Amino acid sequence: MERLSRPGFGSGLLIGGLVVVIVWLGTSGAFNLSSSSHLPYHPSDIASIHLQSEISGPSFLSHPKRLDDMPLELVGGFLPDPLPRPLDQPQSCDHTGYLIVKLKNGRELTYGPCSYPWQISELWAR
């Protein structure tokens, strides 16, 4: 009768670490591929984007009319497709800084001020 070899300490540590990482990723929503985290809107549905913090920030419009308005095409390559659903904000949020997306159908999507979907964080950074 042959005895099976037992995994060593290093193998057990590696397997345990992988289990912890997989559980952490699962609870963080990294494996959430459902459409519930996205809205049925695409960049072509956007009429304008406005950045608002303590002072009013720039506006990106599909058809700018004022000198201080910028064309939406400047950020067009950074727009997520489809648009993510805004995140719930914590009760103790004391930040300012909103990214407001106005759609052509009149609906407004407000992202922030404390939590943003990662796609919107990338857009905000640009």
Side-chain angles (χ1 to χ4, degrees):
M1 207 161 147
E2 258 184 71
R3 186 174 190 177
L4 296 173
S5 64
R6 298 190 328 184
F9 177 77
S11 299
L13 188 62
L14 179 65
I15 292 169
L18 285 173
V19 168
V20 168
V21 167
I22 290 171
V23 168
W24 176 73
L25 286 173
T27 58
S28 72
F31 299 129
N32 183 2
L33 301 176
S34 69
S35 61
S36 64
S37 63
H38 293 90
L39 296 170
Y41 301 113
H42 303 277
S44 61
D45 299 318
I46 296 175
S48 68
I49 297 174
H50 182 73
L51 301 177
Q52 181 179 343
S53 59
E54 291 177 4
I55 57 171
S56 186
S59 292
F60 298 89
L61 305 170
S62 54
H63 302 291
K65 293 182 174 83
R66 297 180 356 188
L67 288 176
D68 57 343
D69 290 335
M70 298 184 199
L72 191 58
E73 292 84 32
L74 287 177
V75 294
F78 305 108
L79 296 172
D81 189 9
L83 292 174
R85 188 175 299 281
L87 299 177
D88 292 331
Q89 301 301 305
Q91 294 291 337
S92 61
C93 179
D94 61 354
H95 293 38
T96 59
Y98 297 91
L99 189 142
I100 303 164
V101 175
K102 185 163 187 174
L103 301 172
K104 291 176 182 174
N105 67 6
R107 182 174 179 188
E108 283 189 3
L109 304 172
T110 302
Y111 297 99
C114 286
S115 300
Y116 303 91
W118 65 269
Q119 302 96 328
I120 297 299
S121 294
E122 285 186 353
L123 174 61
W124 184 277
R126 304 292 180 204

